[in-house]
Amino acid sequence: MTEAEATAADAPSNFIQDIVRDDLASGRVASLVTRFPPEPNGYLHIGHAKSICLNFGLAKEFGGRCNLRFDDTNPAKEEQEYIDAIMEDVRWLGFDWGEHLYHASDYFAQLYDWAEYLIVEGKAYVEELSADEMRQYRGTLTEPGRNSPHRERPVEENLDLFRQMRAGAFKEGERALRAKIDMASGNINLRDPVLYRIVHAPHPRTRDTWCIYPTYDFAHGQSDAIEGVTHSVCTLEFADHRPLYDWFIENLPVPARPRQFEFSRLNLTHTLLSKRALVQLVEEGHVAGWDDPRMPTICGLRRRGFPAAAIREFCARVGVTKQENVIETALLEFCVRELLNEQAPRRMAVLNPIRLVIENYPEGQSEELEAINNPGDESAGTRRVPFSRELFIERDDFMEDPPKKFFRLAPGREVRLRYAYFVTCNEVVKDETGEVVELRCTYDPETRGGNAPDGRKVKATLHWVSAAHAIPAEIRLYEPLFRDEIPDISEGLGNAINPDSLKTLSNCRLEPALAHALAGTSVQFERLGYFCPDADSSDGNHIFNRVVPLRDSWAKIKARG
RNA sequence: UGGGGCGUAGCCAAGUGGUAAGGCAACGGGUUUUGAUCCCGUGAUUCGCAGGUUCGAUCCCUGCCGCCCCAGCCA
């Protein structure tokens, strides 16, 4: 168990854990069964990760199980592509549903029978009002609805009509099956909700077996009951549906009595998590795709280099309540740094190179210096880094006329090159535009490895690469996709988007050990941040994503002035 | 003006009758061959507001205020 997981384990339990514990203790349920029920009409995002961690986490904690169930009741919107992507994402997050992979479509026959049962019981009827007319009859939030003129059809007629629906006798929208509950209910979900609608579209799994499909309300609770789900955990916006969920459970001969519990969904600053907004980002071309590293999708986060364990830790830290919340992205980044600090090997890379020539180091000579792979983990070992007369250092690490608090390299100043030598800047070479293009320095051979035998100290340690040995690379720096904490997209996405969300640096230099960095594995570029090879990389074309920068107190000092 | 949910620090979040945990962020200080990590320290005379009950209220009662969700044959 990592330190991070220990922290999460020590956290006080949330209200759902309390409910489960009580239900198990009282014997109301023998063992826990939860489910994660995505609709395969889009990609999973970090909000789903919270639900996945909750449902699978509960099952693991209490020795129960968690089913993966696709809520595939609307073939007009759903696709196999999404089903496959969702399974990949859930697995990547570290969860296993074992044999328990289900689809609401597995239950279409049973659901159909239950619909007829309701008709026979006089609790459902075939509607032939149009969607528009139904809206008229439904009333408003403050006014009760009126009964449909078809509400009192005889059972036989309803049965006949419903069977005709199933047989394909009608076009979409011409008929619908409705529950007969209460058109005057304050809860609009109880005003004779639609149970079945006609959809003439092939279903990804059942193909053309059906042309009528159950609605979410008619499918979800019954699916839970069929699967023996004991605790059906969903987000707050479904709380209004609970009375309907319970109505079906009470009025149908279902094999079990699942119960629904609601928690508040995750919101994150500087991003949007609604499926609609995410689709729009992709379709309008604001990002390169669902897996663009700026996207809050699971595949985007994965490509960016966020470890699954960091996402799990984040989900554990945000808590589970019924309170509306907007989590600062700083917490997510903290979880990523916490884990990567522990695990990521250290390397040196220069993002914005400036040449540094050591005048008293022999031309043509080079040597290898030993560097520690992870100062917090001795078992990570060491590596050798080539050093020579001409190096590159970070442009930000030199100032010709530095302010008081800047203690990196400057004319006449001595600093340490990490794991190498002390160097002193003697001369600044500029081009015709006045830009600094080269630093002429001398080094002290006695400081090999980074320590002065005479005990003299130096204020800064810089990262560097040997010019002749370095490998060129492109590095992509990411900033939040949206300018504001809570994006205002009322004028469209364009105005809300951060124009600097992606900055591409094409003149970067990496130490040779980075030539074989593994995809999906992050490394720390010392003093800069965590980086991860991008999928766009190819042989000889190294591309890295910045997962998250290191904390930077100099940046704060500089910003204050 | 209907129904449902929620109000504890900048952001999360415990506590639910005995005198406000913890994390993130922020800000100080120490260590440091990463201005990183690590360590130490600093926050609520107060729990949306107003009354009431009580020796005692964030917690119980009453009223008020604020925010979110619901009028798809989407989920």
Side-chain angles (χ1 to χ4, degrees), chain A residues 284-469:
Chain A
E284 291 180 7
H286 296 106
V287 295
W290 287 97
D291 70 341
D292 185 296
R294 294 166 291 179
M295 290 284 274
T297 47
I298 302 301
C299 53
L301 297 170
R302 175 166 64 230
R303 180 166 176 183
R304 170 84 166 257
F306 281 33
I311 295 171
R312 275 184 252 126
E313 172 64 14
F314 170 74
C315 291
R317 282 182 186 251
V318 297
V320 177
T321 67
K322 301 180 81 135
Q323 227 146 302
E324 295 294 333
N325 60 79
V326 184
I327 310 294
E328 294 173 337
T329 50
L331 180 63
L332 214 205
E333 294 191 351
F334 169 83
C335 294
V336 172
R337 286 194 197 100
E338 181 186 47
L339 190 110
L340 259 18
N341 173 54
E342 206 174 86
Q343 300 179 350
R346 268 103 248 235
R347 293 291 184 263
M348 290 197 285
V350 176
L351 268 38
N352 295 300
I354 178 169
R355 188 172 295 268
L356 184 155
V357 178
I358 302 171
E359 297 180 302
N360 61 338
Y361 194 92
E363 278 186 61
Q365 180 176 311
S366 71
E367 63 186 301
E368 290 199 322
L369 298 160
E370 187 168 60
I372 293 166
N373 284 332
N374 187 339
D377 177 11
E378 214 176 297
S379 73
T382 62
R383 70 187 184 284
R384 303 186 75 79
V385 185
F387 182 87
S388 63
R389 187 171 195 264
E390 296 202 6
L391 313 172
F392 286 118
I393 64 163
E394 205 68 64
R395 190 150 223 116
D396 286 350
D397 284 340
F398 174 80
M399 281 186 94
E400 193 171 12
D401 184 20
K404 266 214 164 43
K405 289 174 177 168
F406 182 87
F407 49 77
R408 276 112 92 144
L409 195 60
R413 194 181 284 180
E414 183 174 53
V415 298
R416 171 168 39 233
L417 294 179
R418 180 148 236 225
Y419 300 124
Y421 298 94
F422 283 12
V423 294
T424 303
C425 178
N426 303 313
E427 191 191 336
V428 178
V429 180
K430 298 179 186 174
D431 64 12
E432 55 286 352
T433 69
E435 188 178 68
V436 177
V437 292
E438 189 175 295
L439 272 11
R440 310 291 295 190
C441 303
T442 49
Y443 84 119
D444 176 357
E446 299 300 307
T447 58
R448 190 172 199 274
N451 285 302
D454 64 4
R456 75 179 188 279
K457 300 292 182 200
V458 97
K459 288 273 278 186
T461 300
L462 311 186
H463 61 276
W464 52 274
V465 294
S466 168
H469 302 87

Side-chain angles (χ1 to χ4, degrees), chain A residues 477-507:
Chain A
L477 307 180
Y478 302 102
E479 297 290 336
L481 237 193
F482 291 93
R483 269 196 159 304
D484 301 331
E485 285 205 342
I486 314 288
D488 173 8
I489 56 168
S490 55
E491 312 281 307
L493 292 181
N495 303 314
I497 283 185
N498 172 9
D500 303 317
S501 62
L502 167 63
K503 186 190 284 180
T504 303
L505 304 176
S506 51
N507 193 31

